[in-house]
Amino acid sequence: MTDCTYCGCPVEAHDPIFVSETPDGEPTAQFCNYGCLSAHIDAADLTTGTACEWSPSQ
Ligand SMILES: [Zn+2]
């Protein structure tokens, strides 16, 4: 059983998304769905200071 990185629920009960932050492709995080993935990104401030910056005003 694999728990959601954000909410801790078993991801198998939903439509799981696996995220890899390593070059060898081993999953390092998993989420129930895009809602948990998005919430985790917001909570962890992962959109701040990344190399691929996105700005709607430019
Ligand atoms: Zn979740």
Side-chain angles (χ1 to χ4, degrees):
M1 197 60 87
T2 307
D3 292 343
C4 174
T5 298
Y6 179 70
C7 74
C9 293
V11 297
E12 282 84 356
H14 305 275
D15 184 20
I17 298 167
F18 293 92
V19 175
S20 175
E21 296 174 354
T22 58
D24 59 11
E26 284 291 313
T28 54
Q30 57 281 322
F31 302 92
C32 305
N33 50 46
Y34 282 106
C36 279
L37 173 59
S38 177
H40 172 72
I41 290 172
D42 287 346
D45 250 0
L46 297 182
T47 54
T48 302
T50 56
C52 184
E53 294 186 22
W54 180 82
S55 173
S57 62
Q58 292 180 1

